[in-house]
């Protein structure tokens, strides 16, 4: 009996978000859906993340309609999955339970089967209400533990800290840390656990160790998620499989590699050699990939890479002997925990398939690619690119000051932006933290939840004006207004609960999107009425033209006979 491995396909959400800024239109997605129904992936991530915001903002499309159309096409063949930031959903501040429940209820009703829930601080308190809501509404609660690394401090900085009697805290994100989080989430009702490495920073050996540890101690399925940005993605995914992960996340070839996840096709080739059954219809995937290559050409203006992966039909194409041998070697290296050899073998495999080279800057800095590029963009805009090295040096201390949050969205962006602010402050001769973002203040204050390390009360007072951790109280949450447009026939901006949720979660973008929808509906109604009048007139004209001369004369006489010759003015004659 063959071993089983389930595949979660990320192509239509994480894949296109990582590579093409979430610009796939509904029409493009519709082209691959019939084949996805044949492909038989265990799950398909299609929603959440940047999808709702981006498709309203850039494509003028309704996020709920996208989800519902995909569900209609896929049916029950694959479970549709979405990504949610727990109590924060898509924003920064926590939402009240009624908003959380409304979102999950409607998402599941519209087609979501699995809700992947994570918190940027790995604060399990921020996840509990979503687990409860998802399960009560019939969904599967996939709870993610966000992988991150300890801050790196130079030897000089560590020595200086010791000499000043302020030793730097180390060994924060240990294997035990992740196990404790996973066990807590299981206790809270999680149906599965995901090791979620959004930055691609988890190396193969650490992957194997964590997967073994979690599989030994958990009683629920384990999923592994990573990216290929710094060059670990493929090797770490293979290591997860070898060590017993139940599910792994992949993208179809043309939407994989680089800043995205590993290729399904390459993972399938590994599985074929290990006698592992994924249950995926590879022939359907080959057809999907052919269409995705066309779509990638259409998305060229958003594509950060100039070259495509090699075209390869995993059903019929044969690998060169030397590459084929690399697959066998990689499996052997993974089983033997030979990390360096495994990475070299996987790197050569990826090179053969023409995937992008690892991003060494991200690998060296140990920060997510998006965080790195955002800091660079921020400095470039100010013409201060020369401050990038100092900004990178400041990240560990800024992060530790803020309680050592994991470097995942959105805390990675908060820490990165603050490191830029501190570097600029220094360059002006000002004390660091002279310039502070409101998000950094809230992070230090405790608004977003508990940080992995306690924030120094004096630092919190310096930044936020309070010494005690101060959580956000949802009783102060103010719901978004849903105005009535009198000029468009007394209609509300948000017509139903789903639109109200869009307004609640994406106020600026949804307000503009929904207003356009209201205006368009009003204009469409005017057009419909005018068109109906025109068609009626044309029909009457046609009918009149078909009358005989005698019938036309009779119609004229009938009209004159029935015409009201007494006007309103005549009625008033003789009256003062």
């Amino acid at each position: 009996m063959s071993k089983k491995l389930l595949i979660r396909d990320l192509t239509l959400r994480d894949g296109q978000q990582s590579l093409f800024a979430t610009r796939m239109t509904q029409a493009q997605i519709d082209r691959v859906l019939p084949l996805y129904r044949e492909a038989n992936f265990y799950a398909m991530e299609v929603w959440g993340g940047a999808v709702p915001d981006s498709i309203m903002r850039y494509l003028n499309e309704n996020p709920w309609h996208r989800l519902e159309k995909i569900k209609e096409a896929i049916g029950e063949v694959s479970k549709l999955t979405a990504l949610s930031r727990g109590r924060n959903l898509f924003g920064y501040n926590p939402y009240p339970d009624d908003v959380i429940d409304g979102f999950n209820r409607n998402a599941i009703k519209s087609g979501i089967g699995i809700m992947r829930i994570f918190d940027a601080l790995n604060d399990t308190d921020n996840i509990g209400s979503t687990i409860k809501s998802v399960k009560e509404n019939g969904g599967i609660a996939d709870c993610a533990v966000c992988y991150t690394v300890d801050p790196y401090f130079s030897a000089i900085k560590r020595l200086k800290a010791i000499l000043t009697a302020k030793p730097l805290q180390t060994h924060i994100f240990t294997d035990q840390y992740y196990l404790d989080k996973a066990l807590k989430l299981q206790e809270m009702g999680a149906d599965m656990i995901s090791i979620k490495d959004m930055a691609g920073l988890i190396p193969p050996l650490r992957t194997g160790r964590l997967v073994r540890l979690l599989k030994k101690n958990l009683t629920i399925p384990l999923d592994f998620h990573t990216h290929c940005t710094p060059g670990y993605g493929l090797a770490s995914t293979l290591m997860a499989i070898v060590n017993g992960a139940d599910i792994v996340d992949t993208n179809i070839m043309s939407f994989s590699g680089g800043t995205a996840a590993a290729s399904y096709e390459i993972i399938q080739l590994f599985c074929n050699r290990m006698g592992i059954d994924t249950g995926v219809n590879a022939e359907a995937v080959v057809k999907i990939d052919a269409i995705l290559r066309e779509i990638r050409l259409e998305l060229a203006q958003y594509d950060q890479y100039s070259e495509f992966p090699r075209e390869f039909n995993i059903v019929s194409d044969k690998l060169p002997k030397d590459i084929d041998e690399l697959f066998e070697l990689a499996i052997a290296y993974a089983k033997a925990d030979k990390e360096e050899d495994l990475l070299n073998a996987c790197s050569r495999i990826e090179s053969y398939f023409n995937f992008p080279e690892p991003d060494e800057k991200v690998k060296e800095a140990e920060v997510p690619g998006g965080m790195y590029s955002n800091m660079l963009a921020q400095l470039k805009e100010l013409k201060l690119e020369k401050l990038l090295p100092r900004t990178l040096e400041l990240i560990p201390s800024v992060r530790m000051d803020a309680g050592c949050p994991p470097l995942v969205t959105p805390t990675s962006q908060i820490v990165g932006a603050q490191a830029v602010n501190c570097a600029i402050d220094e360059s002006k001769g000002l004390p660091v933290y002279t310039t502070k973002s409101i998000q950094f203040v809230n992070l230090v204050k405790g608004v977003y939840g508990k940080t992995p390390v306690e924030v120094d009360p004096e630092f919190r007072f310096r930044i936020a004006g309070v010494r005690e951790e101060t959580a956000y109280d949802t009783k102060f949450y103010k719901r978004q207004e849903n105005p009535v447009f009198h000029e468009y026939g007394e209609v509300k901006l948000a017509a139903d609960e789903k639109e109200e949720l869009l307004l609640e979660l994406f106020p600026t973008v949804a307000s503009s999107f929904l207003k356009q929808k209201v205006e368009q509906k009003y204009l469409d109604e005017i057009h419909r009425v005018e068109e109906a009048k025109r068609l009626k007139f044309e029909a009457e004209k046609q009918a009149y033209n078909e009358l005989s001369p005698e019938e036309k004369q009779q119609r004229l006489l009938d009209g004159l006979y029935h015409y009201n010759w007494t006007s309103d003015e005549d009625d008033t004659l003789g009256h003062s």
Side-chain angles (χ1 to χ4, degrees):
M1 184 177 177
S2 62
K3 299 176 184 176
K4 300 284 186 183
L5 175 72
L6 300 177
I7 303 289
R8 183 191 313 236
D9 176 77
L10 308 174
T11 305
L12 301 183
R13 204 290 296 174
D14 198 310
Q16 63 139 333
Q17 181 174 322
S18 296
L19 296 176
F20 318 117
T22 323
R23 292 303 203 278
M24 278 187 84
T25 64
Q26 186 64 51
Q28 288 169 329
I29 285 175
D30 288 344
R31 282 153 58 185
V32 294
L33 291 181
L35 291 167
Y36 260 107
R37 189 181 180 96
E38 296 176 21
N40 198 44
F41 285 105
Y42 162 68
M44 295 167 54
E45 187 180 74
V46 298
W47 212 63
V51 167
D53 181 294
S54 292
I55 69 172
M56 284 191 291
R57 185 189 300 266
Y58 301 114
L59 306 177
N60 197 34
E61 293 182 1
N62 189 313
W64 296 107
H65 292 173
R66 170 162 295 192
L67 174 55
E68 288 156 3
K69 287 199 74 173
I70 295 174
K71 178 61 179 177
E72 183 181 355
I74 300 301
E76 300 302 319
V77 173
S78 299
K79 291 178 173 60
L80 301 187
T81 79
L83 184 65
S84 162
R85 289 209 299 263
R87 181 169 281 283
N88 301 80
L89 291 175
F90 299 95
Y92 284 97
N93 292 334
Y95 288 94
D97 286 348
D98 62 328
V99 175
I100 293 169
D101 187 64
F103 168 76
N104 289 308
R105 175 167 34 82
N106 281 282
I108 292 166
K109 185 178 179 181
S110 294
I112 290 301
I114 302 173
M115 187 67 74
R116 174 171 275 169
I117 313 156
F118 78 98
D119 178 67
L121 297 175
N122 278 332
D123 181 356
T124 54
D125 289 344
N126 281 342
I127 295 177
S129 56
T130 301
I131 294 174
K132 181 174 181 288
S133 174
V134 167
K135 291 171 74 75
E136 285 180 351
N137 286 288
I140 295 171
D142 169 17
C143 296
V145 180
C146 297
Y147 180 81
T148 191
V149 295
D150 287 352
Y152 171 76
F153 293 100
S154 66
I156 293 174
K157 197 150 192 175
R158 291 197 299 271
L159 179 60
K160 184 179 178 182
I162 293 170
L163 293 174
T164 56
K166 292 182 178 179
L168 298 167
Q169 189 166 348
T170 57
H171 304 297
I172 300 164
F173 300 106
T174 62
D175 293 352
Q176 189 64 43
Y177 167 88
Y178 292 111
L179 176 60
D180 290 344
K181 293 293 180 183
L183 288 172
K184 177 63 176 176
L185 291 169
Q186 178 177 265
E187 179 188 321
M188 292 167 65
D191 296 304
M192 65 172 71
I193 296 293
S194 288
I195 299 172
K196 185 166 176 59
D197 172 29
M198 302 181 203
L201 292 174
I202 187 167
L205 270 183
R206 187 80 189 274
T207 299
R209 206 164 63 235
L210 275 179
V211 169
R212 287 193 296 269
L213 181 65
L214 268 60
K215 282 298 296 176
K216 180 181 177 181
N217 289 278
L218 295 173
T219 58
I220 54 179
L222 178 66
D223 189 316
F224 180 75
H225 172 102
T226 191
H227 290 244
C228 297
T229 317
Y232 296 139
L234 179 59
S236 292
T237 303
L238 174 58
M239 188 65 97
I241 296 168
V242 165
N243 284 280
D246 301 289
I247 311 160
V248 296
D249 294 1
T250 64
N251 290 321
I252 292 177
M253 182 78 81
S254 292
F255 277 41
S256 66
T259 52
S263 157
Y264 153 76
E265 288 86 342
I266 296 180
I267 294 302
Q268 184 65 58
L269 290 172
F270 277 123
C271 288
N272 291 346
R273 285 160 174 76
M274 292 187 286
I276 296 174
D277 178 16
T278 65
V280 177
N281 178 350
E283 291 183 354
V285 174
V286 170
K287 295 174 184 176
I288 294 171
D289 189 54
I291 299 172
L292 290 176
R293 291 183 78 87
E294 296 172 1
I295 293 172
R296 183 163 179 172
L297 281 170
E298 295 162 13
L299 297 171
Q301 69 186 103
Y302 310 109
D303 194 342
Q304 57 182 301
Y305 301 106
S306 57
E307 295 186 7
F308 284 25
R310 176 189 292 269
E311 286 191 67
F312 186 81
N313 185 321
I314 59 169
V315 176
S316 59
D317 289 352
K318 301 296 182 185
L319 291 168
K321 187 172 183 293
D322 60 328
I323 303 301
D324 192 64
E325 289 173 352
L326 283 173
F327 277 84
E328 296 293 347
L329 285 171
I331 293 168
Y333 294 145
K335 290 179 177 178
D337 278 351
K338 293 185 176 180
E339 183 174 71
E340 198 61 37
D341 291 333
L342 172 60
L343 285 168
N344 287 335
C346 286
S347 177
R348 290 174 63 189
I349 289 170
E350 289 179 300
S351 180
Y352 170 77
F353 283 98
N354 203 37
F355 285 112
E357 292 291 318
D359 191 324
E360 294 297 334
K361 297 188 296 293
V362 170
K363 189 175 183 179
E364 183 181 348
E366 290 193 325
V367 298
M371 177 181 176
Y372 184 94
S373 58
N374 282 351
M375 289 188 299
L376 182 58
Q378 194 177 348
L379 289 167
K380 276 185 175 179
E381 190 176 342
L382 299 169
K383 296 182 170 51
L384 293 172
E385 300 98 309
K386 64 183 180 182
L387 294 180
L388 181 62
R390 180 55 182 154
T391 300
L392 293 173
E393 288 176 6
L394 285 167
I395 287 173
S397 55
V398 170
R399 191 177 168 206
M400 283 304 299
D401 287 343
C404 202
L407 293 181
V408 300
T409 305
T411 51
S412 57
Q413 306 304 338
I414 296 172
V415 169
Q418 188 56 48
V420 169
N421 288 338
C422 289
I424 294 172
D425 287 343
E426 271 190 352
S427 72
K428 294 178 178 178
L430 299 171
V432 292
Y433 299 116
T434 298
T435 307
K436 307 176 290 290
S437 72
I438 184 61
Q439 288 82 14
F440 186 75
V441 172
N442 285 337
L443 174 62
V444 171
K445 189 176 182 181
V447 168
Y448 304 142
K450 290 185 179 297
T451 51
V453 174
E454 286 288 332
V455 174
D456 183 334
E458 293 308 312
F459 180 76
R460 182 180 284 125
F461 182 74
R462 174 185 169 191
I463 298 298
V466 294
R467 287 185 172 83
E468 296 296 320
E469 184 180 277
T470 309
Y472 180 79
D473 191 340
T474 55
K475 74 180 181 184
F476 296 116
Y477 179 82
K478 185 178 179 182
R479 295 190 76 97
Q480 298 296 320
E481 291 184 8
N482 187 10
V484 174
F485 291 104
H486 304 291
E487 65 271 34
Y488 297 129
E490 305 298 321
V491 298
K492 287 186 174 182
L493 177 60
D496 54 30
E497 187 183 21
K498 289 179 180 177
E499 291 188 353
E500 287 174 1
L501 284 164
L502 293 179
L503 198 58
E504 211 64 45
L505 302 176
F506 314 98
T508 303
V509 174
S511 181
S512 175
F513 169 75
L514 293 173
K515 187 174 182 182
Q516 286 183 48
K517 181 173 173 284
V518 167
E519 290 172 346
Q520 190 59 51
K521 187 176 181 180
Y522 181 74
L523 292 173
D524 289 346
E525 179 61 18
I526 291 175
H527 177 75
R528 187 193 66 77
V529 171
E530 292 301 319
E531 182 65 8
K533 289 179 181 178
R534 187 188 68 78
L535 291 173
K536 182 180 178 183
F537 173 76
E538 291 294 335
E540 290 176 349
K541 181 180 177 182
Q542 179 67 24
Y544 180 79
N545 289 337
E546 292 173 357
L547 295 175
S548 66
E550 293 78 11
E551 288 173 323
K552 289 178 180 178
Q553 184 178 26
Q554 185 60 47
R555 184 167 174 177
L556 176 61
L557 291 172
D558 289 344
L560 291 171
Y561 178 77
H562 292 292
Y563 182 73
N564 181 9
W565 294 94
T566 305
S567 68
D568 291 341
E569 288 185 3
D570 291 338
D571 290 341
T572 62
L573 290 177
H575 297 277
S576 58

